Amino acid sequence: MDFFSNLALGLTTALSLSNLFYCFVGVFLGTLLGVIPGIGVLAAISMLFPLTFHMEATSALIMLAGIWYGTSYGGSTASILLNVPGTPANAVVCLDGYPMAQKGRGAVALFMTTVASFVGGSIGIVILTLFAPVIAQYALSMGSAEYFSLMLLGLIAATGIADGSAVKGFIMVMLGIFLGSIGTDVYTGAQRFAFGIPELSDGISLVALAMGVFGVAELIISVGSVKANRFKSSDLTLRAMKPTRDDMRRSWKPMLRGSSIGSFFGALPGTGPSLAAFIAYAVEKRSARDPSRFGKGAIEGIMAPESANNAADQTSFIPTLALGIPGSPTMALMLGALIIHGITPGPGLMTEQPSLFWGLIMSFWIGNVLLVILNVPLIGLWVRLLAVPYHLLFPSVLMFICLGTYSVNNSAFDVLLVMIFGALGFVMRKLAFPAAPLILGFVLGPMMEDHFRRAMLLSSGDFATFINRPISATILSIAAAILLWNFISTLKARRRLSAS
């Protein structure tokens, strides 16, 4: 009975006029920024993150979440029409979406990705609704030792699945932890790594770091890298979007498989929609009767990854809301929004803030329906948007980044930090250092330190507390196995290189 009353509370919260408005704003802006290649979800959320400082917590999370899953819907548009992924999770859609567009079936591809996104998102929401409360209930029995181990597992997983070298991912995690430690020690009151700069006494702003590394760096990298759009909105009419019976027959099983894969990987800390999309595509290609169709416009090649990344978008909220552990850099920003509003994320969130938790979940249903309503008739608008010259579009985005950063603390120093981190992010991209583990380390580092110190105080300084507690020992064993697997994979890769 409590379950249904919670759903009713969430629906009432989500259907309030203010929350409906912010849900619409979130999904619209998410779709818009997802369509533009090179911006991505992290840059999109980073640019709009400062707005949440002046909003009520529930409305802020609903808007940020709408941007999060809205970019997945919009990101497939540029993938299909330009062969340039709007977001990393949409990269695999290029493999079959762009060949479909070249064959004159771009409208069908766009419509079917909208269907796949809705189905995947809906299945992910159901799993989130059913399993997040269960996980949170068991998590209430966990202490600081278990939370430290969980966060350590998340960071190790982030280094393992980061693009490129695991060593580079580890370096980025450590850099993020270092940046997160700058400021005043809450236990002793001593200043750490502030170098006599007064503005650093309160630490580095999450907004400045995220906007610089993900926003400014992406803009610099993407300027001039996208060709002009050759498609016309007249080629993408509603009639042209109608799929064939064969398309429908080939689509429903890949959607279900993709949604299952996405739901599983989305709930794991450190994985996320990009990994889920690529695995879903690999599963479809391996299980297909005729794998040679893939890469040439196979409908399965867009349905499976699109449903996977949208299901992962929803279930990635499970570790964030139920455990207080961000499973991805984007979820780290969500966690930051909660903390900024004075709300402690974790298993107590559902009992202490039921209207926020259930209102957010029910807003996912509303947001997914809005996205279907928005995407189909606005495809012509997105096509025209892709034709805007980037030398005009990107300076406008950069201006909003600077204005948004300054508005948070009215600090010109934060704007300077954005530029510094933007340059750092550009260098990192050029040297193939992954940016995602950096922000995970930045958010999780201070929390790990806090739980580590607390566990040491409770155990009178006995390090064995992390091994003596069964849940903590199990989590640490999984983390050690991931480390070993990364080490073996690196050795195998080096042997292959030396052999070739």
Side-chain angles (χ1 to χ4, degrees), residues 459-481:
S459 64
S460 301
D462 185 8
F463 285 95
T465 186
F466 297 103
I467 302 174
N468 293 336
R469 298 172 71 93
I471 297 177
S472 176
T474 303
I475 296 169
L476 289 176
S477 300
I478 296 171

Side-chain angles (χ1 to χ4, degrees), residues 306-323:
E306 274 298 290
S307 57
N309 73 49
N310 280 272
D313 283 345
Q314 309 299 337
T315 56
S316 60
F317 280 90
I318 291 177
T320 305
L321 297 177
L323 301 175

Side-chain angles (χ1 to χ4, degrees), residues 81 101 104-112 235-237 240-242 379:
L81 299 182
R105 306 195 71 219
V108 174
L110 289 171
F111 177 77
M112 292 304 286
D235 297 331
L236 300 168
T237 60
M241 293 179 190
K242 185 178 179 181
I379 284 174

Side-chain angles (χ1 to χ4, degrees), residues 135 139 142-157 266-271 315-336 338-339 344-347 349 440 443-444 447-448 451 475:
I135 293 172
M142 294 167 57
S144 290
E146 287 81 8
Y147 274 104
F148 171 82
S149 302
L150 263 177
M151 292 175 187
L152 182 63
L153 172 63
L155 291 182
I156 290 174
L268 297 179
T271 54
T315 56
S316 60
F317 280 90
I318 291 177
T320 305
L321 297 177
L323 301 175
I325 311 296
S328 69
T330 309
M331 289 299 108
L333 291 178
M334 300 285 183
L335 202 68
L338 280 171
I339 295 170
T344 303
L349 180 67
L440 278 175
V443 173
L444 288 183
M447 297 171 65
M448 282 181 64
H451 283 294
I475 296 169

